[in-house]
Amino acid sequence: MNKERTRKSVNGRTGRDAQHTCIGYWRLHSFVLSFFILFSCFACGTDNRQATRIPDFPKPGDSSRAEGALRALTRAINQSSPASAYAKRAVILLAMGRVTDALADIDEAISRNDNAGAYYLTRAKILRTLNKPDKALQNAQRAEILGVDTPELYTLQSDLLQQQNQIDKAKLYVAKALQMAPFDGEAYFFNGLLAARQGDTVQALAMYQQSLRLKPRYLETYNQLASIYRVLHNPDAALAYNGQALRYFPNNARLYYGRGLIYHTSRKLDSAVACYQKAIQIQPTYYQAFFQTGLINQAYRRYYAAVADYQRVQQLRPQFPRIDTYIGYCYEQLGQYNLAIDAYTKATQQNVADRQAAAGLWRSQRRQYSRNSLFLPDATNQSADAARNRTQLDTSRVRISTIQPKAQVSTGSGDSLRRSVKPIN
Protein backbone atom coordinates (compact mmCIF):
# COMPACT_ATOMS: atom_id res chain seq x y z
CA MET A 1 0.00 0.00 0.00
CA ASN A 2 2.86 2.35 0.74
CA LYS A 3 4.37 1.41 -2.57
CA GLU A 4 1.18 2.38 -4.38
CA ARG A 5 1.08 5.77 -2.64
CA THR A 6 4.66 6.38 -3.49
CA ARG A 7 4.04 5.46 -7.13
CA LYS A 8 1.03 7.83 -7.34
CA SER A 9 2.94 10.73 -5.78
CA VAL A 10 5.82 10.19 -8.13
CA ASN A 11 3.51 9.99 -11.12
CA GLY A 12 1.68 13.16 -10.06
CA ARG A 13 4.93 15.07 -9.55
CA THR A 14 6.22 13.88 -12.89
CA GLY A 15 3.06 15.05 -14.66
CA ARG A 16 3.25 18.47 -13.06
CA ASP A 17 6.97 18.78 -13.98
CA ALA A 18 6.21 17.81 -17.52
CA GLN A 19 3.44 20.40 -17.66
CA HIS A 20 5.75 23.12 -16.31
CA THR A 21 8.43 22.09 -18.78
CA CYS A 22 6.03 22.42 -21.71
CA ILE A 23 4.95 25.85 -20.53
CA GLY A 24 8.65 26.91 -20.23
CA TYR A 25 9.45 25.71 -23.71
CA TRP A 26 6.44 27.56 -25.13
CA ARG A 27 7.45 30.80 -23.37
CA LEU A 28 11.04 30.46 -24.61
CA HIS A 29 9.80 29.82 -28.13
CA SER A 30 7.56 32.89 -27.98
CA PHE A 31 10.43 35.04 -26.69
CA VAL A 32 12.78 33.86 -29.46
CA LEU A 33 10.10 34.43 -32.09
CA SER A 34 9.39 37.94 -30.80
CA PHE A 35 13.10 38.81 -30.73
CA PHE A 36 13.51 37.54 -34.29
CA ILE A 37 10.58 39.65 -35.49
CA LEU A 38 11.95 42.78 -33.76
CA PHE A 39 15.44 42.16 -35.13
CA SER A 40 14.04 41.71 -38.63
CA CYS A 41 12.15 44.98 -38.38
CA PHE A 42 15.27 46.77 -37.13
CA ALA A 43 17.34 45.29 -39.93
CA CYS A 44 14.81 46.41 -42.50
CA GLY A 45 14.83 49.90 -41.07
CA THR A 46 18.62 49.91 -41.10
CA ASP A 47 18.67 48.84 -44.74
CA ASN A 48 16.19 51.56 -45.63
CA ARG A 49 18.34 54.17 -43.92
CA GLN A 50 21.63 52.86 -45.31
CA ALA A 51 21.43 55.04 -48.42
CA THR A 52 21.37 58.25 -46.39
CA ARG A 53 23.82 57.22 -43.68
CA ILE A 54 26.97 59.37 -43.69
CA PRO A 55 30.00 57.09 -43.24
CA ASP A 56 32.87 57.75 -40.88
CA PHE A 57 36.20 59.07 -42.07
CA PRO A 58 38.48 56.39 -43.54
CA LYS A 59 41.95 55.92 -42.17
CA PRO A 60 44.76 57.77 -43.99
CA GLY A 61 46.24 55.74 -46.81
CA ASP A 62 43.25 53.38 -47.04
CA SER A 63 42.33 54.10 -50.65
CA SER A 64 39.63 51.42 -50.87
CA ARG A 65 37.77 52.75 -47.84
CA ALA A 66 38.21 56.30 -49.08
CA GLU A 67 36.61 55.44 -52.41
CA GLY A 68 33.80 53.62 -50.62
CA ALA A 69 33.21 56.60 -48.35
CA LEU A 70 33.11 58.91 -51.36
CA ARG A 71 30.49 56.74 -53.03
CA ALA A 72 28.33 56.64 -49.89
CA LEU A 73 28.63 60.40 -49.42
CA THR A 74 27.72 61.00 -53.05
CA ARG A 75 24.58 58.86 -52.61
CA ALA A 76 23.66 60.84 -49.50
CA ILE A 77 24.18 64.12 -51.35
CA ASN A 78 22.07 62.97 -54.30
CA GLN A 79 19.18 61.99 -52.00
CA SER A 80 19.01 64.73 -49.39
CA SER A 81 22.10 66.98 -49.89
CA PRO A 82 22.97 67.55 -46.20
CA ALA A 83 25.68 70.07 -45.43
CA SER A 84 27.57 67.56 -43.31
CA ALA A 85 27.90 65.21 -46.29
CA TYR A 86 29.47 67.96 -48.39
CA ALA A 87 31.85 68.83 -45.54
CA LYS A 88 32.94 65.23 -44.99
CA ARG A 89 33.46 64.67 -48.68
CA ALA A 90 35.57 67.84 -48.83
CA VAL A 91 37.87 66.49 -46.10
CA ILE A 92 38.33 63.20 -47.95
CA LEU A 93 38.95 64.94 -51.27
CA LEU A 94 41.56 67.18 -49.63
CA ALA A 95 43.35 64.14 -48.23
CA MET A 96 43.32 62.57 -51.70
CA GLY A 97 44.86 65.70 -53.25
CA ARG A 98 41.74 66.76 -55.17
CA VAL A 99 41.91 70.27 -53.81
CA THR A 100 39.67 72.02 -56.35
CA ASP A 101 36.86 69.51 -55.82
CA ALA A 102 37.29 69.80 -52.07
CA LEU A 103 36.94 73.59 -52.24
CA ALA A 104 33.71 73.29 -54.26
CA ASP A 105 32.24 70.90 -51.68
CA ILE A 106 33.15 72.96 -48.63
CA ASP A 107 31.77 76.10 -50.28
CA GLU A 108 28.49 74.28 -50.80
CA ALA A 109 28.48 73.08 -47.18
CA ILE A 110 29.00 76.62 -45.88
CA SER A 111 26.27 77.97 -48.15
CA ARG A 112 23.87 75.50 -46.49
CA ASN A 113 25.14 76.08 -42.94
CA ASP A 114 27.26 79.16 -42.34
CA ASN A 115 27.43 78.79 -38.55
CA ALA A 116 29.60 75.66 -38.39
CA GLY A 117 33.10 76.61 -37.35
CA ALA A 118 34.53 73.26 -38.45
CA TYR A 119 33.52 74.02 -42.04
CA TYR A 120 35.51 77.26 -42.01
CA LEU A 121 38.49 75.40 -40.57
CA THR A 122 38.33 72.92 -43.45
CA ARG A 123 38.11 75.72 -45.98
CA ALA A 124 41.10 77.45 -44.37
CA LYS A 125 43.19 74.30 -44.81
CA ILE A 126 42.11 73.97 -48.43
CA LEU A 127 42.93 77.61 -49.18
CA ARG A 128 46.35 77.23 -47.55
CA THR A 129 47.00 74.28 -49.87
CA LEU A 130 46.03 76.51 -52.80
CA ASN A 131 48.60 79.13 -51.67
CA LYS A 132 45.97 81.70 -50.69
CA PRO A 133 47.13 82.60 -47.17
CA ASP A 134 45.08 85.79 -46.87
CA LYS A 135 41.75 84.09 -47.50
CA ALA A 136 42.83 81.07 -45.47
CA LEU A 137 43.56 83.28 -42.45
CA GLN A 138 40.16 84.96 -42.74
CA ASN A 139 38.43 81.58 -42.64
CA ALA A 140 40.57 80.39 -39.72
CA GLN A 141 39.67 83.51 -37.75
CA ARG A 142 36.01 82.95 -38.58
CA ALA A 143 36.30 79.38 -37.26
CA GLU A 144 37.76 80.71 -33.99
CA ILE A 145 34.91 83.21 -33.63
CA LEU A 146 32.38 80.39 -34.10
CA GLY A 147 33.87 78.50 -31.17
CA VAL A 148 36.46 76.15 -32.64
CA ASP A 149 39.08 75.66 -29.93
CA THR A 150 41.54 73.01 -31.11
CA PRO A 151 45.34 72.81 -31.44
CA GLU A 152 44.89 72.18 -35.16
CA LEU A 153 43.25 75.58 -35.61
CA TYR A 154 45.95 77.39 -33.64
CA THR A 155 48.83 75.72 -35.47
CA LEU A 156 47.13 76.58 -38.76
CA GLN A 157 46.78 80.21 -37.73
CA SER A 158 50.40 80.27 -36.61
CA ASP A 159 51.54 79.04 -40.02
CA LEU A 160 49.38 81.58 -41.87
CA LEU A 161 50.58 84.44 -39.67
CA GLN A 162 54.18 83.44 -40.28
CA GLN A 163 53.60 83.70 -44.01
CA GLN A 164 52.42 87.27 -43.47
CA ASN A 165 55.47 88.07 -41.30
CA GLN A 166 53.32 88.56 -38.19
CA ILE A 167 55.85 86.71 -36.06
CA ASP A 168 54.68 87.84 -32.62
CA LYS A 169 51.10 86.71 -33.20
CA ALA A 170 52.36 83.46 -34.70
CA LYS A 171 54.35 82.76 -31.53
CA LEU A 172 51.27 83.32 -29.37
CA TYR A 173 49.18 80.85 -31.36
CA VAL A 174 51.79 78.12 -31.48
CA ALA A 175 52.38 78.53 -27.73
CA LYS A 176 48.64 78.18 -27.16
CA ALA A 177 48.59 75.03 -29.26
CA LEU A 178 51.48 73.53 -27.27
CA GLN A 179 49.77 74.45 -24.01
CA MET A 180 46.58 72.66 -25.08
CA ALA A 181 48.39 69.63 -26.52
CA PRO A 182 51.93 69.26 -25.16
CA PHE A 183 52.31 65.92 -26.96
CA ASP A 184 51.04 67.07 -30.34
CA GLY A 185 53.78 66.50 -32.91
CA GLU A 186 52.20 68.88 -35.39
CA ALA A 187 52.43 71.76 -32.91
CA TYR A 188 56.15 71.13 -32.50
CA PHE A 189 56.51 71.10 -36.28
CA PHE A 190 55.02 74.57 -36.62
CA ASN A 191 57.15 75.78 -33.74
CA GLY A 192 60.20 74.54 -35.68
CA LEU A 193 58.92 76.18 -38.83
CA LEU A 194 58.69 79.47 -36.96
CA ALA A 195 62.28 79.09 -35.72
CA ALA A 196 63.50 78.24 -39.24
CA ARG A 197 61.90 81.35 -40.70
CA GLN A 198 63.66 83.42 -38.06
CA GLY A 199 67.00 81.90 -39.02
CA ASP A 200 67.42 79.76 -35.88
CA THR A 201 68.40 76.49 -37.54
CA VAL A 202 69.45 74.74 -34.32
CA GLN A 203 66.10 75.39 -32.64
CA ALA A 204 64.25 74.37 -35.80
CA LEU A 205 66.08 71.03 -35.97
CA ALA A 206 65.32 70.35 -32.30
CA MET A 207 61.61 71.05 -32.81
CA TYR A 208 61.46 68.88 -35.92
CA GLN A 209 63.14 66.00 -34.09
CA GLN A 210 60.60 66.28 -31.27
CA SER A 211 57.81 66.37 -33.85
CA LEU A 212 59.04 63.12 -35.37
CA ARG A 213 59.22 61.42 -31.98
CA LEU A 214 55.59 62.34 -31.27
CA LYS A 215 54.23 61.96 -34.79
CA PRO A 216 56.50 59.75 -36.90
CA ARG A 217 54.14 59.73 -39.89
CA TYR A 218 53.93 63.49 -40.38
CA LEU A 219 55.13 64.08 -43.93
CA GLU A 220 55.94 67.79 -43.65
CA THR A 221 58.51 67.19 -40.92
CA TYR A 222 60.52 64.87 -43.15
CA ASN A 223 60.38 67.36 -46.01
CA GLN A 224 61.64 70.20 -43.83
CA LEU A 225 64.45 68.14 -42.32
CA ALA A 226 65.60 66.95 -45.73
CA SER A 227 65.44 70.51 -47.07
CA ILE A 228 67.50 71.93 -44.19
CA TYR A 229 70.23 69.31 -44.50
CA ARG A 230 70.30 69.80 -48.28
CA VAL A 231 70.90 73.52 -47.79
CA LEU A 232 73.57 72.71 -45.20
CA HIS A 233 75.34 70.54 -47.83
CA ASN A 234 74.79 67.35 -45.87
CA PRO A 235 73.28 65.09 -48.56
CA ASP A 236 73.65 61.90 -46.52
CA ALA A 237 71.38 63.16 -43.73
CA ALA A 238 68.96 64.67 -46.25
CA LEU A 239 68.69 61.38 -48.13
CA ALA A 240 68.25 59.48 -44.86
CA TYR A 241 65.21 61.53 -43.80
CA ASN A 242 63.82 61.41 -47.31
CA GLY A 243 64.21 57.63 -47.34
CA GLN A 244 62.40 57.30 -44.00
CA ALA A 245 59.50 59.30 -45.39
CA LEU A 246 59.35 57.09 -48.50
CA ARG A 247 58.91 54.06 -46.25
CA TYR A 248 55.66 55.57 -44.97
CA PHE A 249 54.61 57.26 -48.23
CA PRO A 250 56.02 55.19 -51.11
CA ASN A 251 53.81 56.82 -53.76
CA ASN A 252 54.30 60.45 -52.85
CA ALA A 253 55.48 62.52 -55.82
CA ARG A 254 56.73 65.36 -53.65
CA LEU A 255 59.15 63.07 -51.83
CA TYR A 256 60.69 61.88 -55.11
CA TYR A 257 60.95 65.49 -56.26
CA GLY A 258 62.74 66.40 -53.03
CA ARG A 259 65.07 63.44 -53.45
CA GLY A 260 65.84 64.67 -56.95
CA LEU A 261 66.74 68.10 -55.57
CA ILE A 262 69.18 66.49 -53.13
CA TYR A 263 70.94 64.62 -55.95
CA HIS A 264 70.78 67.71 -58.14
CA THR A 265 72.52 69.82 -55.48
CA SER A 266 75.16 67.10 -55.11
CA ARG A 267 75.75 67.15 -58.89
CA LYS A 268 74.51 63.58 -59.29
CA LEU A 269 72.45 64.55 -62.28
CA ASP A 270 71.54 61.08 -63.58
CA SER A 271 70.10 60.07 -60.21
CA ALA A 272 68.29 63.40 -60.03
CA VAL A 273 66.67 62.83 -63.43
CA ALA A 274 65.52 59.36 -62.33
CA CYS A 275 63.83 60.83 -59.24
CA TYR A 276 62.21 63.65 -61.22
CA GLN A 277 60.85 61.16 -63.73
CA LYS A 278 59.45 59.02 -60.89
CA ALA A 279 57.67 62.08 -59.52
CA ILE A 280 56.22 62.79 -62.98
CA GLN A 281 55.13 59.17 -63.30
CA ILE A 282 53.17 59.43 -60.06
CA GLN A 283 51.85 62.94 -60.75
CA PRO A 284 51.90 63.83 -64.47
CA THR A 285 51.10 67.50 -63.73
CA TYR A 286 54.19 68.06 -61.57
CA TYR A 287 55.52 71.03 -63.55
CA GLN A 288 58.43 71.70 -61.14
CA ALA A 289 59.85 68.25 -61.95
CA PHE A 290 59.60 68.99 -65.69
CA PHE A 291 61.48 72.26 -65.17
CA GLN A 292 64.31 70.64 -63.21
CA THR A 293 64.62 67.93 -65.86
CA GLY A 294 64.82 70.65 -68.49
CA LEU A 295 67.67 72.33 -66.60
CA ILE A 296 69.64 69.08 -66.53
CA ASN A 297 69.02 68.40 -70.22
CA GLN A 298 70.18 71.94 -70.95
CA ALA A 299 73.34 71.36 -68.90
CA TYR A 300 74.02 68.21 -70.97
CA ARG A 301 73.34 70.24 -74.16
CA ARG A 302 70.34 68.10 -75.00
CA TYR A 303 68.49 71.15 -76.19
CA TYR A 304 65.64 69.41 -78.00
CA ALA A 305 64.75 67.47 -74.83
CA ALA A 306 65.12 70.63 -72.75
CA VAL A 307 62.74 72.53 -75.05
CA ALA A 308 60.18 69.73 -74.71
CA ASP A 309 60.43 69.90 -70.90
CA TYR A 310 60.13 73.69 -70.83
CA GLN A 311 57.15 73.64 -73.18
CA ARG A 312 55.46 71.11 -70.90
CA VAL A 313 56.02 73.48 -68.00
CA GLN A 314 54.50 76.29 -70.06
CA GLN A 315 51.42 74.17 -70.76
CA LEU A 316 50.90 73.27 -67.11
CA ARG A 317 51.88 76.67 -65.70
CA PRO A 318 51.62 79.46 -68.32
CA GLN A 319 52.82 82.11 -65.86
CA PHE A 320 55.96 80.23 -64.81
CA PRO A 321 58.70 82.86 -64.29
CA ARG A 322 61.05 83.41 -67.27
CA ILE A 323 60.12 80.15 -68.98
CA ASP A 324 60.24 81.87 -72.40
CA THR A 325 63.82 82.96 -71.71
CA TYR A 326 64.86 79.32 -71.18
CA ILE A 327 63.04 78.24 -74.34
CA GLY A 328 64.66 81.05 -76.33
CA TYR A 329 68.13 80.10 -75.12
CA CYS A 330 67.68 76.48 -76.23
CA TYR A 331 66.45 77.55 -79.66
CA GLU A 332 69.39 79.94 -79.94
CA GLN A 333 71.85 77.13 -79.21
CA LEU A 334 70.11 74.97 -81.82
CA GLY A 335 70.53 77.71 -84.43
CA GLN A 336 66.77 78.18 -84.82
CA TYR A 337 66.99 81.94 -84.53
CA ASN A 338 63.44 82.69 -85.70
CA LEU A 339 61.98 80.64 -82.83
CA ALA A 340 64.55 82.09 -80.43
CA ILE A 341 63.58 85.65 -81.44
CA ASP A 342 59.89 84.86 -80.87
CA ALA A 343 60.57 83.40 -77.41
CA TYR A 344 62.91 86.21 -76.36
CA THR A 345 60.47 88.85 -77.62
CA LYS A 346 57.67 87.33 -75.58
CA ALA A 347 59.92 87.20 -72.53
CA THR A 348 60.90 90.87 -72.83
CA GLN A 349 57.28 91.88 -73.28
CA GLN A 350 56.31 90.09 -70.08
CA ASN A 351 59.29 91.42 -68.11
CA VAL A 352 61.15 94.45 -69.40
CA ALA A 353 63.81 93.95 -66.71
CA ASP A 354 64.81 90.52 -68.01
CA ARG A 355 68.34 91.36 -69.19
CA GLN A 356 69.13 87.82 -70.27
CA ALA A 357 66.14 87.80 -72.60
CA ALA A 358 67.11 91.22 -74.01
CA ALA A 359 70.71 90.09 -74.60
CA GLY A 360 69.53 86.86 -76.18
CA LEU A 361 67.18 88.76 -78.45
CA TRP A 362 70.04 91.00 -79.62
CA ARG A 363 72.34 88.02 -80.27
CA SER A 364 69.68 86.07 -82.14
CA GLN A 365 68.78 89.02 -84.34
CA ARG A 366 72.43 89.65 -85.28
CA ARG A 367 73.04 85.99 -86.07
CA GLN A 368 69.85 85.71 -88.07
CA TYR A 369 70.63 88.83 -90.11
CA SER A 370 74.25 87.82 -90.63
CA ARG A 371 73.11 84.47 -91.94
CA ASN A 372 70.83 86.11 -94.54
CA SER A 373 73.15 88.95 -95.68
CA LEU A 374 76.75 90.12 -95.44
CA PHE A 375 75.93 93.22 -93.43
CA LEU A 376 73.40 93.69 -90.71
CA PRO A 377 70.46 95.85 -91.76
CA ASP A 378 71.04 98.31 -88.95
CA ALA A 379 74.72 98.73 -89.86
CA THR A 380 73.90 99.00 -93.59
CA ASN A 381 71.34 101.70 -92.98
CA GLN A 382 73.70 103.60 -90.72
CA SER A 383 76.48 103.39 -93.36
CA ALA A 384 74.15 104.64 -96.10
CA ASP A 385 72.97 107.56 -93.95
CA ALA A 386 76.53 108.46 -93.07
CA ALA A 387 77.56 108.34 -96.73
CA ARG A 388 74.75 110.66 -97.75
CA ASN A 389 75.57 113.15 -95.02
CA ARG A 390 79.34 113.08 -95.53
CA THR A 391 80.86 116.37 -96.86
CA GLN A 392 82.87 115.98 -100.10
CA LEU A 393 86.35 117.54 -99.77
CA ASP A 394 88.62 118.68 -102.61
CA THR A 395 92.01 117.36 -101.54
CA SER A 396 93.83 119.50 -104.15
CA ARG A 397 92.80 122.64 -102.29
CA VAL A 398 93.66 121.37 -98.82
CA ARG A 399 97.17 121.84 -97.50
CA ILE A 400 98.41 119.06 -95.30
CA SER A 401 101.36 119.85 -93.06
CA THR A 402 103.72 117.07 -92.16
CA ILE A 403 104.19 116.66 -88.44
CA GLN A 404 107.83 117.07 -87.50
CA PRO A 405 108.95 115.19 -84.41
CA LYS A 406 111.21 116.72 -81.84
CA ALA A 407 114.91 116.07 -82.52
CA GLN A 408 115.91 116.80 -78.93
CA VAL A 409 114.75 114.55 -76.14
CA SER A 410 115.28 115.57 -72.54
CA THR A 411 116.52 112.93 -70.15
CA GLY A 412 115.55 114.93 -67.06
CA SER A 413 119.13 115.02 -65.71
CA GLY A 414 120.10 118.42 -67.02
CA ASP A 415 121.84 117.33 -70.20
CA SER A 416 120.25 116.71 -73.59
CA LEU A 417 120.34 113.76 -75.87
CA ARG A 418 120.21 114.69 -79.52
CA ARG A 419 118.87 112.20 -81.98
CA SER A 420 118.05 112.39 -85.62
CA VAL A 421 114.51 111.24 -86.24
CA LYS A 422 113.14 110.84 -89.69
CA PRO A 423 110.05 112.89 -90.32
CA ILE A 424 106.74 111.13 -91.09
CA ASN A 425 106.03 111.30 -94.78
Side-chain angles (χ1 to χ4, degrees):
M1 187 172 181
N2 292 332
K3 291 181 179 180
E4 291 180 357
R5 289 179 181 176
T6 303
R7 190 181 300 110
K8 289 181 179 179
S9 61
V10 169
N11 292 335
R13 191 165 52 249
T14 302
R16 287 194 299 272
D17 292 342
Q19 184 178 3
H20 288 306
T21 302
C22 291
I23 293 173
Y25 279 126
W26 181 82
R27 289 178 178 177
L28 179 62
H29 178 72
S30 300
F31 175 76
V32 172
L33 181 62
S34 301
F35 177 78
F36 178 76
I37 293 172
L38 290 174
F39 179 79
S40 300
C41 294
F42 176 77
C44 293
T46 303
D47 292 337
N48 291 332
R49 293 191 300 269
Q50 187 66 29
T52 59
R53 179 179 178 272
I54 300 174
D56 296 329
F57 292 111
K59 294 181 180 180
D62 194 344
S63 58
S64 60
R65 287 195 60 193
E67 293 293 341
L70 283 180
R71 289 193 294 269
L73 289 168
T74 303
R75 288 195 300 268
I77 289 172
N78 292 336
Q79 290 190 4
S80 58
S81 301
S84 58
Y86 281 104
K88 282 190 174 184
R89 193 169 71 172
V91 173
I92 297 175
L93 290 172
L94 176 62
M96 296 175 67
R98 298 167 57 180
V99 186
T100 305
D101 296 334
L103 181 60
D105 272 0
I106 199 62
D107 287 342
E108 183 65 26
I110 291 175
S111 68
R112 295 172 181 272
N113 182 8
D114 59 353
N115 290 322
Y119 297 173
Y120 287 96
L121 174 58
T122 301
R123 186 156 72 176
K125 293 191 291 185
I126 295 173
L127 290 171
R128 180 181 63 174
T129 305
L130 292 173
N131 294 323
K132 298 180 179 180
D134 296 336
K135 293 183 179 180
L137 183 59
Q138 293 175 3
N139 282 268
Q141 292 172 344
R142 177 67 176 171
E144 186 178 9
I145 292 173
L146 291 174
V148 178
D149 186 23
T150 61
E152 183 183 17
L153 174 62
Y154 297 133
T155 54
L156 174 63
Q157 286 179 290
S158 174
D159 180 39
L160 296 172
L161 289 168
Q162 290 177 54
Q163 296 182 35
Q164 295 186 349
N165 293 323
Q166 300 184 33
I167 304 301
D168 294 335
K169 288 185 179 180
K171 288 181 178 180
L172 293 176
Y173 275 106
V174 74
K176 190 172 183 179
L178 286 173
Q179 183 179 3
M180 294 180 64
F183 299 103
D184 184 9
E186 192 170 343
Y188 282 96
F189 165 77
F190 283 103
N191 199 356
L193 194 63
L194 179 61
R197 286 177 176 168
Q198 292 181 293
D200 192 348
T201 305
V202 176
Q203 179 69 10
L205 289 174
M207 291 295 103
Y208 291 149
Q209 294 290 350
Q210 181 65 14
S211 175
L212 280 187
R213 283 191 286 268
L214 296 173
K215 195 172 183 179
R217 290 180 178 267
Y218 193 54
L219 176 61
E220 294 299 325
T221 307
Y222 290 105
N223 282 329
Q224 290 297 325
L225 281 168
S227 178
I228 287 179
Y229 281 112
R230 176 175 64 85
V231 174
L232 293 176
H233 301 287
N234 189 345
D236 294 334
L239 289 172
Y241 282 111
N242 182 270
Q244 291 180 22
L246 284 172
R247 289 169 51 197
Y248 295 118
F249 308 96
N251 295 318
N252 188 280
R254 186 181 173 190
L255 288 176
Y256 283 102
Y257 175 75
R259 195 171 187 85
L261 288 178
I262 297 170
Y263 284 126
H264 201 160
T265 306
S266 303
R267 305 301 301 170
K268 297 179 180 179
L269 301 184
D270 293 335
S271 298
V273 169
C275 292
Y276 293 144
Q277 290 176 345
K278 181 65 176 179
I280 293 171
Q281 180 183 354
I282 297 173
Q283 185 177 335
T285 59
Y286 211 133
Y287 63 91
Q288 296 96 329
F290 279 108
F291 178 72
Q292 296 295 335
T293 305
L295 289 178
I296 294 176
N297 284 326
Q298 179 179 319
Y300 280 137
R301 299 183 178 182
R302 298 193 290 252
Y303 296 114
Y304 283 110
V307 167
D309 291 328
Y310 292 148
Q311 288 177 340
R312 184 60 177 158
V313 174
Q314 198 172 42
Q315 293 174 359
L316 297 172
R317 187 83 170 185
Q319 301 302 322
F320 192 88
R322 303 180 68 244
I323 190 64
D324 289 293
T325 304
Y326 290 99
I327 294 174
Y329 178 80
C330 292
Y331 279 134
E332 180 186 354
Q333 299 303 313
L334 290 171
Q336 301 181 13
Y337 298 118
N338 288 333
L339 297 175
I341 290 171
D342 293 339
Y344 282 137
T345 302
K346 185 178 178 181
T348 54
Q349 290 174 350
Q350 293 177 350
N351 183 10
V352 295
D354 192 344
R355 296 184 178 180
Q356 292 184 356
L361 178 60
W362 180 81
R363 291 193 307 267
S364 299
Q365 287 176 340
R366 287 181 60 86
R367 290 170 180 171
Q368 178 67 15
Y369 295 146
S370 63
R371 173 183 292 179
N372 296 334
S373 61
L374 182 62
F375 300 99
L376 297 178
D378 293 341
T380 304
N381 294 335
Q382 292 175 3
S383 300
D385 294 339
R388 283 193 299 268
N389 297 328
R390 186 181 300 123
T391 303
Q392 300 295 330
L393 298 177
D394 187 359
T395 56
S396 63
R397 300 178 59 185
V398 177
R399 182 180 179 180
I400 300 177
S401 300
T402 303
I403 301 175
Q404 298 294 335
K406 292 182 179 181
Q408 182 175 352
V409 179
S410 175
T411 60
S413 59
D415 56 350
S416 298
L417 177 64
R418 295 183 180 275
R419 293 179 181 176
S420 60
V421 181
K422 295 181 180 181
I424 299 176
N425 295 326

